[in-house]
Amino acid sequence: MTGSASPHRARVTLLAAGLLAASPAVAETRAPPGATACLGCHDACPDDPTAPPCLRRLKPDAIAEALEAFRANGRAGTVMPLIAKGFSREEIRALASYLGRPEGSPR
């Protein structure tokens, strides 16, 4: 009897692990592809108007709009138009959601 319970327990464990990994709380903590590269220039938040924008201070919609404008050549930039063209609209939304300031969050 104990031998037959082991495969069942293993399946339940795998199922639980899969559900946990797919849950929004866990998914939101993982950086989407490209997000950590953004922080190389946009993580420092100096009070210098010539510095790259601090993404933590921006709302996700503002980040997404800027990236979409760069992507469509509607906004000038040095490297950002090239970088933004490398992302799909879905990837831009994921980056913006991950990097931006959550609604109501005082950053």
Side-chain angles (χ1 to χ4, degrees):
M1 281 284 181
T2 58
S4 64
S6 183
H8 175 70
R9 185 174 300 152
R11 280 182 283 200
V12 170
T13 302
L14 286 172
L15 177 61
L19 290 173
L20 180 60
S23 75
V26 173
E28 288 176 15
T29 60
R30 284 192 216 139
T36 55
C38 299
L39 298 176
C41 296
H42 294 281
D43 194 34
C45 298
D47 289 329
D48 178 0
T50 63
C54 175
L55 296 180
R56 289 180 283 147
R57 293 181 182 159
L58 299 175
K59 292 182 180 177
D61 285 345
I63 295 170
E65 287 173 19
L67 286 171
E68 288 289 350
F70 282 126
R71 188 172 178 256
N73 291 323
R75 184 170 174 170
T78 52
V79 297
M80 286 307 303
L82 294 172
I83 292 170
K85 285 181 176 115
F87 294 108
S88 68
R89 287 198 168 116
E90 293 79 19
E91 290 168 327
I92 285 174
R93 287 282 165 203
L95 286 168
S97 293
Y98 180 81
L99 295 167
R101 176 175 58 94
E103 197 64 39
S105 171
R107 278 199 204 171

